[in-house]
Amino acid sequence: MATDMQKLIGTSEEDDEEEMDMDVKEEDDEDENREKHIARQVMVGIDGGMASNSSNNQFLHHQHIQDQVSTLGGGGGARRSRPLEEKERTKLRERHRRAITARILAGLRRHGNYNLRVRADINDVIAALAREAGWVVLPDGTTFPSRTQNPRPLGGTSAGAISSSTHLVSQQTPSASLRGVSPGYRPSVEYNSSRLKGVFVPAPSPYDLPTSTQSQNSAMMGDGGEQTESHPLISGSLDNVNDKQIVDMSPKLLERDFTGSSYVPVYVMLPLGVINMKCELADPDGLLKQLRVLKSASVDGVMVDCWWGIVEAHAPQEYNWNGYKRLFQMVHELKLKLQVVMSFHECGGNFGDDVCIPLPHWIAEIGRSNPDIFFTDREGRRNPECLSWGIDRERVLRGRTALEVYFDYMRSFRVEFDEFFHDDLISMVEIGLGPCGELRYPSCPVKHGWRYPGIGEFQCYDQYLLKSLKKTAEARGHPCWARGPENAGTYNTQPHETGFFCDGGDYDVYYGRFFLNWYSRILVEHGDRVLSLAKLAFEGTQISAKVFTGGTRRPVMLLN
């Protein structure tokens, strides 16, 4: 019975330590009783109280007792002194360990809201952390994700699954053969609230349970092991297979309750080439099937890029939205929502790009005669991925500035799809601010040979950004600062290999601080101007943008 109880409730490290302490204490008590008994015999022999027939027998008996005393006390003193010192050191180590454990448990209870028992050990702490992470911990220590079904307990031990939210406490009297178990301890069988089927529960013996538990089991199990009444916490059934009870549990309580948490909508990004260069749906039937699959998966909507190079491809202010109209209509019929991206950059040439969508043809024609409308590195290489921010206020695009081109495009989209805005089909508009739609410089172009983890190069050598740098340097009183760093390395250089970015480099001198301040200010001002125009064009609609910071892309939400 003790073995079954141990298998059911398990043992802890503290119980083992208590057993060791009790064993040591019993051995000490036995040694002390033996010494007291021998000393009592010695005293009786000396006082003459011991019955003897002759003084010679009394002397021999007295000397025999003295030999025993010397063996235990005198002769064995050196032998016993070492165990006593080790015991003292062990006690000090145990006190230090328990003090640290007590502080850890107190902190978990006070700051982490962990429901740990008073005499908890490291096993209880690990089990509590596992349950907090959504895992299931069985009484024998078997741990598995809550989604896993039909777990196999280790070592062939059959046990019920436990949960932090549902407990079925079985009131049992502790067995006398279980040492180290406090009288007030009551083992519990906890049933997991996740979807578990086919969990083996050992059949209890009627002699191991008190009268109350026997009556409860008799109410649940009829003759032949058939279920007659279910437990209020478990909506399932009990069956017998090979003399073992199988619990089919469909719990009413959830393992984790997210009631009251804010709802997070789910949008799926459509393929980059869903609209071809003629502004038509590339595969209408295939797209419809995919949208129906997404609808069956209960997603909230889809996200799609509205490419500037497709809509305004051939001539300024000549917009073709036909393909997007049909796409939006299909999404509307399936009662999905839309998030659209105003993509003012080209698609292709970067990692993961399997579609090529360049900038509008009329922009490319302007670039052939005036390549400074694109970002330029120190060697004079142009990057046609997006327009340079130096022409945001320069009328070099057929009489319009870059900001006016962006605003006219966004206003055309807002007017063309006005009905979808009123029907709340379009829930958010993301504004492209640079390469890959992100607010950053195109400092690491793959087409120019950049490979990770190269530092890239400054992109400020077109005539418009150099003019801005010269104007800022003269206003600062240092015309000689109107230049880019000469020791900043190349695309694949490491920071410590340059004189500008190394420790104590030029980035920390007056010129370096001036240049980096101007370079970052141009970036921020571009994002502020474009987003201000987007707020005017999409008044009343959520606006977002992608910001690239240290290898991650973070969306920034602006609410109108």
Side-chain angles (χ1 to χ4, degrees):
M1 180 177 66
T3 304
D4 295 338
M5 289 285 291
Q6 289 177 354
K7 288 182 178 181
L8 182 61
I9 67 176
T11 58
S12 63
E13 293 180 357
E14 291 188 359
D15 297 338
D16 296 337
E17 293 172 0
E18 291 180 1
E19 290 185 7
M20 295 174 62
D21 295 340
M22 294 178 66
D23 292 339
V24 173
K25 185 179 292 184
E26 288 179 358
E27 293 177 359
D28 295 341
D29 294 341
E30 292 176 0
D31 294 341
E32 293 178 359
N33 293 334
R34 188 182 300 108
E35 293 177 0
K36 290 180 180 179
H37 177 68
I38 296 174
R40 190 179 300 111
Q41 290 179 346
V42 172
M43 294 300 296
V44 171
I46 293 175
D47 294 339
M50 180 179 295
S52 61
N53 295 329
S54 64
S55 60
N56 188 21
N57 293 336
Q58 182 177 358
F59 175 75
L60 293 175
H61 185 68
H62 175 66
Q63 187 168 355
H64 175 67
I65 293 174
Q66 284 182 344
D67 293 340
Q68 291 182 351
V69 173
S70 63
T71 302
L72 293 174
R79 181 175 60 84
R80 289 184 56 82
S81 61
R82 184 177 179 182
L84 289 175
E85 293 176 358
E86 290 181 356
K87 287 171 59 178
E88 291 298 328
R89 287 196 297 267
T90 302
K91 289 181 180 179
L92 291 177
R93 286 195 299 267
E94 289 299 320
R95 290 172 185 171
H96 182 65
R97 184 184 66 81
R98 291 174 182 174
I100 295 177
T101 304
R103 295 190 187 99
I104 294 175
L105 297 177
L108 290 175
R109 294 190 189 98
R110 184 180 303 111
H111 305 293
N113 296 327
Y114 286 93
N115 187 15
L116 300 174
R117 59 190 179 94
V118 177
R119 300 183 65 82
D121 58 7
I122 188 61
N123 296 330
D124 298 322
V125 175
I126 295 176
L129 294 176
R131 296 191 194 101
E132 182 70 16
W135 288 57
V136 178
V137 184
L138 299 182
D140 65 346
T142 303
T143 305
F144 54 90
S146 59
R147 296 180 180 178
T148 305
Q149 296 187 2
N150 298 334
R152 178 180 296 178
L154 298 178
T157 303
S158 60
I162 68 173
S163 171
S164 59
S165 58
T166 306
H167 302 277
L168 178 60
V169 181
S170 174
Q171 305 293 340
Q172 299 183 3
T173 304
S175 173
S177 62
L178 291 177
R179 301 177 59 186
V181 181
S182 59
Y185 179 78
R186 294 176 178 176
S188 62
V189 181
E190 303 171 345
Y191 291 90
N192 179 29
S193 59
S194 63
R195 299 179 180 178
L196 295 178
K197 293 185 178 180
V199 179
F200 289 100
V201 179
S205 172
Y207 302 100
D208 296 340
L209 303 178
T211 306
S212 60
T213 308
Q214 294 178 16
S215 60
Q216 181 180 1
N217 287 347
S218 61
M220 295 179 61
M221 303 295 297
D223 297 336
E226 297 181 357
Q227 180 184 10
T228 58
E229 182 180 354
S230 61
H231 194 275
L233 293 181
I234 303 177
S235 58
S237 62
L238 292 175
D239 299 325
N240 281 352
V241 177
N242 296 330
D243 297 332
K244 293 184 179 180
Q245 299 176 5
I246 300 179
V247 182
D248 186 7
M249 291 182 288
S250 300
K252 300 177 181 178
L253 299 179
L254 296 177
E255 183 177 354
R256 279 190 165 187
D257 186 8
F258 295 98
T259 303
S261 60
S262 57
Y263 176 74
V264 179
V266 177
Y267 286 78
V268 177
M269 187 73 183
L270 292 181
L272 299 177
V274 66
I275 304 293
N276 59 26
M277 291 302 298
K278 297 180 180 179
C279 201
E280 299 174 349
L281 286 176
D283 184 11
D285 297 334
L287 176 62
L288 182 59
K289 292 179 181 179
Q290 294 177 0
L291 292 177
R292 287 174 178 172
V293 171
L294 294 177
K295 179 63 178 180
S296 64
S298 300
V299 302
D300 294 88
V302 294
M303 191 174 190
V304 61
D305 287 274
C306 293
W307 296 101
W308 179 34
I310 294 178
V311 177
E312 197 180 0
H314 302 290
Q317 294 182 295
E318 291 185 4
Y319 306 103
N320 180 9
W321 299 101
N322 294 333
Y324 290 100
K325 286 182 180 179
R326 188 175 179 185
L327 171 62
F328 291 5
Q329 190 62 37
M330 293 170 60
V331 173
H332 180 62
E333 292 174 355
L334 292 174
K335 296 183 179 179
L336 295 172
K337 290 191 175 183
L338 272 168
Q339 289 182 352
V340 295
V341 183
M342 301 287 103
S343 298
F344 297 109
H345 61 282
E346 76 169 8
C347 178
N350 291 305
F351 291 108
D353 291 343
D354 55 355
V355 177
C356 181
I357 303 176
L359 295 183
H361 298 306
W362 60 276
I363 291 291
E365 292 177 358
I366 297 175
R368 282 191 286 269
S369 59
N370 183 13
D372 286 300
I373 65 174
F374 302 122
F375 282 103
T376 308
D377 62 13
R378 185 175 182 82
E379 299 297 328
R381 287 169 291 194
R382 314 291 181 173
N383 190 335
E385 188 174 355
C386 61
L387 296 179
S388 170
W389 302 331
I391 64 172
D392 279 354
R393 296 183 176 182
E394 299 288 341
R395 296 187 177 277
V396 294
L397 303 178
R398 303 284 177 87
R400 291 186 299 169
T401 65
L403 291 178
E404 292 174 344
V405 170
Y406 301 148
F407 179 73
D408 291 341
Y409 181 85
M410 292 186 289
R411 183 175 56 183
S412 173
F413 177 85
R414 180 62 179 82
V415 173
E416 193 71 29
F417 299 101
D418 181 69
E419 58 177 322
F420 296 106
F421 281 95
H422 287 297
D423 294 340
D424 292 331
L425 174 69
I426 301 176
S427 60
M428 187 179 68
V429 179
E430 181 180 307
I431 310 301
L433 298 176
C436 295
E438 302 160 1
L439 183 60
R440 64 175 176 88
Y441 285 95
S443 302
C444 305
V446 176
K447 64 183 67 177
H448 290 167
W450 173 85
R451 294 296 181 268
Y452 178 85
I455 60 174
E457 292 190 19
F458 290 110
Q459 305 289 319
C460 61
Y461 293 95
D462 62 84
Q463 62 170 327
Y464 302 104
L465 287 179
L466 287 177
K467 183 174 65 174
S468 173
L469 177 60
K470 180 180 179 181
K471 182 178 179 180
T472 306
E474 292 176 350
R476 186 71 178 269
H478 296 277
C480 61
W481 288 356
R483 57 179 175 81
E486 299 177 355
N487 55 353
T490 60
Y491 284 110
N492 295 312
T493 307
Q494 300 298 311
H496 64 275
E497 299 173 351
T498 67
F500 188 82
F501 292 109
C502 66
D503 293 339
D506 291 346
Y507 77 93
D508 200 22
V509 300
Y510 288 114
Y511 160 73
R513 294 178 184 177
F514 160 78
F515 176 79
L516 293 178
N517 178 71
W518 168 82
Y519 196 69
S520 59
R521 181 173 57 82
I522 292 294
L523 172 77
V524 175
E525 288 180 353
H526 169 75
D528 183 66
R529 292 166 184 159
V530 177
L531 291 176
S532 298
L533 295 176
K535 186 176 180 180
L536 293 176
F538 302 110
E539 185 176 1
T541 304
Q542 288 185 347
I543 297 175
S544 67
K546 284 193 298 184
V547 179
F548 183 85
T549 57
T552 59
R553 293 163 175 83
R554 303 179 182 179
V556 178
M557 184 72 67
L558 303 176
L559 301 179
N560 288 1

